[in-house]
Amino acid sequence: MLKTVICDLLGITYPIIQGGMAWVATGELAAAVSAAGGLGIIGAGNAPPEVVRREIAKVRERTDRPFGVNIYYMSPYVEELIDLVCAEKVPVVTTGAGNPGKHLPKLKEAGVKVIPVVASVALAKRLERLGVDALVAEGMECGGHIGEIATMPLVPQIVDAVHIPVIAAGGIADGRGLAAALALGAAGVQMGTRFICAEECTVHPNYKNAVLKAGDRDAVVTGMPGHYVRVLKNKLTRQFEELAARGASWEEMDRLGAGKLRAAVEGDAEYGSLMAGQSAALVREIKPAAAIIEEVVAEAEEIISRLGKLVR
């Protein structure tokens, strides 16, 4: 069986983490991934604590396996969410869009494993010094808010720079991606886009169908430097292009994007923000989360076995 240090650290069967996508990664999806042997993550996004509390309850109603909550550091509810995950004794917290350093003592005291998502070596080293348990090295191929470095060069640089487990993310949707990540020195992978098309994902079928139809050039970047977001092409992305062409301000861009992810989740595939990574072009069918995980692991194991035979 394919097993790495991240499995021991998190108490999971397979080295696969589901991305904490805001409004997409609900309790239903997180529970399905965790029950299947991965680590399901609830995406807190900008949701208030009472909403996140309900999602935590959904997970615990469905499985007793480890799970996590992603805390987005641009949320107005960060402090309340830290209190919530500690009170609820959530096993794992992943973080994005900020530095969780000031909250680490409280989280560690509550027994929470902390795994920030990073897009640079400098931040990875800083967070290791602060005492995080592992890192997700996320390349710019990912969906949603992106950094500036691709997964292939980013992951080995971060692996070389720190002494804690590194999880690769960005552009990974199958066993080939998992095998490649392990070859780069990662201890596992985080997949977001692939799990949008899990049966247990509660987004509208229009969102899932947009992922299934995506080609290799359909996951485009919108926004401005420092605020880039990767989404699937639609009428909204054309509006962003028009704003950029006339030199619109960040405030104008922000107003256009406000509420659009929620709109996509509810079925607006034309003017909603269909956040998805470049790996969307690798997603070809909707199936249960357990089947996705089994397929990814089996393919990775076959590839690793085959590659081993190349050495004589």
Side-chain angles (χ1 to χ4, degrees), residues 16 36 43 48 82 84 123 145-146 157 162 172 189 207 229-230 243 246 270 278 299 312:
I16 296 175
I82 294 294
L84 173 64
L123 182 56
H145 297 274
I146 66 171
Q157 289 184 70
V162 300
I172 299 168
V189 297
Y207 197 155
V229 178
R230 189 179 297 284
L243 283 182
R246 64 177 178 81
E270 294 294 341
Q278 291 181 325
E299 185 179 25
R312 288 180 170 60

Side-chain angles (χ1 to χ4, degrees), residues 37-49:
L39 185 76
I41 303 286
I42 296 166
N46 287 319

Side-chain angles (χ1 to χ4, degrees), residues 178-256:
L178 173 54
L182 296 176
L184 294 175
V189 297
Q190 176 177 282
M191 301 191 302
T193 301
R194 181 63 191 94
F195 284 115
I196 294 173
C197 288
E199 286 183 3
E200 297 87 353
C201 183
T202 60
V203 301
H204 194 280
N206 290 349
Y207 197 155
K208 295 186 181 186
N209 289 334
V211 173
L212 294 177
K213 293 176 183 176
D216 59 342
R217 300 178 66 187
D218 286 333
V220 299
V221 177
T222 61
M224 303 179 70
H227 299 280
Y228 284 134
V229 178
R230 189 179 297 284
V231 298
L232 298 180
K233 283 182 184 177
N234 61 6
K235 291 179 181 178
L236 176 66
T237 63
R238 287 197 285 274
Q239 291 181 331
F240 272 111
E241 289 171 1
E242 291 166 4
L243 283 182
R246 64 177 178 81
S249 66
W250 181 85
E251 288 77 13
E252 289 178 277
M253 294 276 193
D254 189 51
R255 283 196 296 272
L256 176 59

Side-chain angles (χ1 to χ4, degrees), residues 100-133:
K102 69 176 183 177
H103 296 122
L104 278 174
K106 184 169 188 174
L107 290 166
K108 302 295 271 185
E109 185 179 349
V112 180
K113 299 280 195 315
V114 183
I115 307 177
V117 177
V118 299
S120 71
V121 170
L123 182 56
K125 292 169 71 173
R126 188 180 315 138
L127 290 170
E128 181 187 33
R129 289 195 297 270
L130 291 173
V132 302
D133 296 280

Side-chain angles (χ1 to χ4, degrees), residues 119 138-140 146-150 225-226 228:
E138 186 172 68
M140 66 180 297
I146 66 171
E148 299 177 347
I149 307 172
Y228 284 134

